[in-house]
Amino acid sequence: MRAYVTSFTLAVSCSLLPVGAHAGGIDTEHLFAFMIGTDVGDVGEREFQSQTTGRFTKSTGTYRALTSAAELEYVPIKNFRTEFGVVASSYNIGGVAGLDDLRQTGLQGVSVDLRYRFLNRDAAPFGLTFDVETRALRNVTRGKSYEPKPLTAKEEEIRAGGGIIAMGRREYAATRGRSPEVVFPGPLEARRMTATEQILWAHRVDKKADVRPGATIQAYADLLPASDGTAPFSIHTFQQIVADPAVPPRLAAVANDHFVFTGKAADEKQTSISREFAQKHGIRAPHYAPPGTGIFHFYFPEQGLIAPGGFYPGADSHSRAYGAYGAVGIGVGSTTLGFGWATGYIYVTVAKQRRVLFTGALQPWVSGKDIVLRLLQGWGVKQSQGMSVEFVDADQQLPIPYRNTIANMMAEGEALNGIFAQDDVTEAWYRARGFPLPYPRVTAGEDARYELDEALDLSNVAPMIAKPFSPGNAFPAEEVATERITFQKAMIGSCTNGGYDDLLAAALVIRGARGVGIDRIGKGYEFIVFPGSGTVKRLIEQPDPRLGGDSIAEVLRRSGAEIRESWCGPCFGQGPDSLSKGERAITSFNRNWQNRMGVGGEGYLASPAVVASSALAGYMAPPSKLGLRWDPEAYGI
């Protein structure tokens, strides 16, 4: 029997209800299997559960469903993952930097001692202990301990008060009939705050709350989105808080983009939970996106549900993408989202602030992906240090698709959020689509304080390729090309690079290559494209004058590419296009951690243009290696 599990997920599996119980109409047997991340290997869910249930030491009457498996940044996860050779990352499920779920569990007197057979590099037995009182995690197999980060005063209050569900029940009663009040600071107050701080200040529930780094505040949300992967836990938390099954959730939105198109009954069951919830409460498009409609972080802005100045906590780490639109987007756990569905707000701890000023002119073939890979490379092991990152596009030369990629990958940069404050580029994007701008323009104050202030000269940024197993392990594509690294798959798409302009950039490279005699990809590998939404998939079938009247889809297919449905798929190791052991891929995805794109596979990251040129070259290389000369009129987007 073979089963792959995530070590740090197992550490808090104790927080689920007993397997097989029913809570709020949700089958927790399915939730249990989903939480510990089986579904990678040849063992069935129920069979795996029979191997694992009953191994918790329970000193209280019941287990409580309080935390999402993804919210475990209380240990240095990257080192943890490397040390243990994890084969299935819990980052597949939710927010990287959302600490609230684990911090606020409120589990009283529960002792957990797990001894699971864990298949790591050495196939050795694996054991973990997690002390819920101290929140300390210990690897008893390796004899190593991981101390939790300290709680803020408010977080400790929530924990001591019984956890987020108990707190939610108390606060839900007080919020009934109360409308949110969003009031932005005047010039004097705004002068000393960053854009992120001003938005959080405006969204405070308590208008006297101090918005400063380290303070935990209640903040009204403008939308509370989830995916089919994270929604079930949010639904359960929401139902536990409100108790009345007829009460609808506040500001809820769900995109079915993770566990769809797999053909697996368990995944259909997973997706059915949020589908039935949406049907029950009348949640319809654009707030509910059926499979193929779009990927979470691409679809909701496309539908006009994200506005500059808004606050958007989403149950997925790449909710940070909303910073491209002048908003604050953060990744939170499913229980935090469920709390928000009940109250209309969440608890958020204000981070320290840092600023990145983009100067200099963009170079040939360089896009948002190259910029963010270069940024993560420069940040090194510490990355953003958990701060809020404010990006300043000095010459306003970065279009929204580039900004989306950069803000989106602040998840990989380990930031609370990344934001491009509203400017002329932002407003032009909204104006072109007829979307309203409900809030005043928010820009950083002249006296705003930044913990770190840095600049990145874009004239020094070249096309980049990130090697395994980190987005920050990036090198100039010209340099990587000398290694002539081959691959089995070249894939373009994801919430990071699945927009029309992303796919157009790839098509322009392919069209240009025809001019130098390169018509199709070679044999022995695949070229696969995942549009960011159903709308993008339809639009790429229409003629584009920049392609001589051809459509993007025609150009891609003519080169040998296959166009799939809009979903996350192989970006997190799901579906038939995910990597198998020994396979290598160059992709425009956002993460290339070990086993992220499939157990035993190796993922490389690059821009759509570099992925396209690599597909034509047969090895990883930028467009210049095809003999293409940069022409801004021919290749500029």
Side-chain angles (χ1 to χ4, degrees):
M1 179 182 296
R2 180 169 64 95
Y4 296 99
V5 297
T6 58
S7 53
F8 34 89
T9 299
L10 290 174
V12 294
S13 293
C14 61
S15 63
L16 285 175
L17 292 166
V19 172
H22 288 263
I26 299 176
D27 185 347
T28 55
E29 183 171 339
H30 179 64
L31 294 185
F32 181 87
F34 178 72
M35 186 170 185
I36 59 177
T38 58
D39 199 30
V40 185
D42 56 8
V43 58
E45 289 180 351
R46 293 176 185 273
E47 187 176 14
F48 184 81
Q49 290 158 19
S50 70
Q51 301 293 315
T52 58
T53 53
R55 298 201 185 190
F56 303 119
T57 301
K58 181 176 62 173
S59 57
T60 58
T62 60
Y63 300 131
R64 287 183 265 173
L66 296 174
T67 189
S68 158
E71 303 304 316
L72 301 181
E73 205 186 30
Y74 69 107
V75 296
I77 282 182
K78 286 203 290 190
N79 294 337
F80 197 56
R81 184 175 56 253
T82 301
E83 178 184 343
F84 301 133
V86 228
V87 296
S89 171
S90 74
Y91 285 91
N92 293 357
I93 303 173
V96 176
L99 305 178
D100 291 348
D101 282 349
L102 191 73
R103 285 173 161 174
Q104 299 166 4
T105 55
L107 287 170
Q108 305 293 328
V110 179
S111 173
V112 183
D113 188 359
L114 305 180
R115 295 291 190 277
Y116 288 102
R117 178 74 178 177
F118 177 76
L119 186 60
N120 65 6
R121 298 189 188 98
D122 303 318
F126 181 81
L128 288 173
T129 62
F130 175 65
D131 187 324
V132 183
E133 292 297 330
T134 65
R135 300 178 299 115
L137 180 71
R138 178 171 173 76
N139 172 9
V140 296
T141 304
R142 299 287 181 92
K144 292 193 174 185
S145 298
Y146 301 87
E147 295 302 316
K149 293 181 179 179
L151 304 180
T152 68
K154 175 55 71 172
E155 289 166 345
E156 184 57 49
E157 177 188 328
I158 294 171
R159 189 169 190 258
I164 199 72
I165 290 180
M167 177 71 78
R169 287 170 177 162
R170 292 191 293 270
E171 298 193 10
Y172 166 67
T175 63
R176 299 183 71 173
R178 187 171 73 189
S179 299
E181 185 181 7
V182 178
V183 181
F184 283 82
L188 289 179
E189 294 95 340
R191 185 181 182 90
R192 59 181 177 81
M193 289 188 281
T194 67
T196 293
E197 290 170 335
Q198 289 178 53
I199 292 170
L200 291 177
W201 192 96
H203 286 76
R204 294 172 304 170
V205 175
D206 177 0
K207 298 308 180 186
K208 295 181 180 179
D210 189 12
V211 177
R212 54 174 174 76
T216 299
I217 65 171
Q218 299 164 312
Y220 288 118
D222 290 277
L223 189 74
L224 292 159
S227 73
D228 55 315
T230 56
F233 296 113
S234 300
I235 293 168
H236 175 72
T237 303
F238 167 74
Q239 291 175 335
Q240 288 292 297
I241 290 173
V242 303
D244 184 350
V247 173
R250 306 187 194 194
L251 305 167
V254 179
N256 292 275
D257 57 6
H258 275 64
F259 297 93
V260 295
F261 306 122
T262 66
K264 297 180 180 179
D267 290 342
E268 165 55 25
K269 186 176 182 181
Q270 174 73 29
T271 304
S272 71
I273 295 172
S274 52
R275 180 175 65 241
E276 292 167 6
F277 183 74
Q279 290 172 345
K280 176 180 179 179
H281 294 293
I283 304 172
R284 300 182 178 88
H287 292 80
Y288 180 78
T293 307
I295 301 174
F296 197 142
H297 323 291
F298 189 88
Y299 171 79
F300 292 130
E302 175 191 79
Q303 297 300 308
L305 298 183
I306 306 299
F311 178 50
Y312 301 96
D316 187 283
S317 60
H318 291 112
S319 300
R320 292 162 174 83
Y322 306 141
Y325 306 90
V328 171
I330 65 172
V332 299
S334 296
T335 49
T336 295
L337 199 81
F339 174 92
W341 284 358
T343 64
Y345 59 81
I346 69 160
Y347 282 92
V348 59
T349 299
V350 183
K352 294 179 180 179
Q353 309 290 302
R354 69 187 295 170
R355 179 169 58 183
V356 179
L357 174 65
F358 293 128
T359 63
L362 279 174
Q363 296 301 291
W365 312 111
V366 171
S367 69
K369 188 58 152 286
D370 307 296
I371 295 169
V372 74
L373 292 180
R374 175 65 183 83
L375 190 66
L376 300 185
Q377 176 205 56
W379 281 350
V381 176
K382 292 184 177 180
Q383 289 297 294
S384 72
Q385 303 177 49
M387 299 184 190
S388 290
V389 185
E390 183 155 326
F391 299 109
V392 181
D393 182 6
D395 298 321
Q396 298 195 24
Q397 61 181 318
L398 303 180
I400 291 294
Y402 289 15
R403 296 180 180 190
N404 171 72
T405 303
I406 296 167
N408 180 299
M409 290 189 64
M410 285 303 97
E412 288 67 43
E414 301 175 15
L416 175 68
N417 69 298
I419 185 172
F420 287 84
Q422 182 177 342
D423 59 14
D424 292 346
V425 173
T426 320
E427 291 169 5
W429 190 88
Y430 278 84
R431 188 165 53 250
R433 289 157 179 77
F435 295 153
L437 297 173
Y439 295 135
R441 182 189 273 208
V442 176
T443 58
E446 294 180 11
D447 297 330
R449 182 182 181 278
Y450 298 96
E451 196 78 15
L452 293 171
D453 210 346
E454 60 191 306
L456 180 62
D457 186 345
L458 299 182
S459 65
N460 293 327
V461 178
M464 305 289 287
I465 295 177
K467 297 181 179 181
F469 289 107
S470 168
N473 189 29
F475 302 85
E478 289 273 359
E479 178 182 322
V480 176
T482 63
E483 302 177 49
R484 300 184 75 87
I485 302 172
T486 58
F487 46 83
Q488 284 70 47
K489 294 180 181 180
M491 296 187 280
I492 297 176
S494 83
C495 61
T496 309
N497 285 115
Y500 186 91
D501 286 349
D502 294 309
L503 305 188
L504 175 60
L508 288 170
V509 169
I510 295 168
R511 183 170 184 266
R514 288 209 307 261
V516 295
I518 304 174
D519 295 316
R520 289 182 59 83
I521 65 171
K523 296 181 180 180
Y525 56 92
E526 297 176 272
F527 184 20
I528 309 166
V529 176
F530 299 86
S533 71
T535 298
V536 171
K537 188 178 182 183
R538 291 190 297 273
L539 289 176
I540 63 173
E541 298 288 352
Q542 299 177 8
D544 191 307
R546 290 165 289 187
L547 295 171
D550 287 340
S551 70
I552 293 173
E554 287 173 329
V555 172
L556 291 171
R557 292 192 185 104
R558 198 179 297 135
S559 73
E562 299 178 59
I563 300 174
R564 301 285 196 254
E565 296 289 345
S566 176
W567 74 303
C568 301
C571 182
F572 78 121
Q574 295 294 307
D577 295 313
S578 60
L579 300 185
S580 300
K581 184 176 181 180
E583 286 191 323
R584 184 183 300 128
I586 182 164
T587 78
S588 71
F589 301 162
N590 41 45
R591 292 177 178 161
N592 62 341
W593 297 329
Q594 190 170 16
N595 303 298
R596 164 73 180 185
M597 299 181 197
V599 178
E602 289 187 350
Y604 290 68
L605 308 178
S607 69
V610 171
V611 174
S613 60
S614 298
L616 294 172
Y619 62 93
M620 298 183 194
S624 58
K625 289 298 181 180
L626 300 176
L628 301 186
R629 293 186 177 182
W630 174 254
D631 179 346
E633 291 189 8
Y635 300 114
I637 303 297

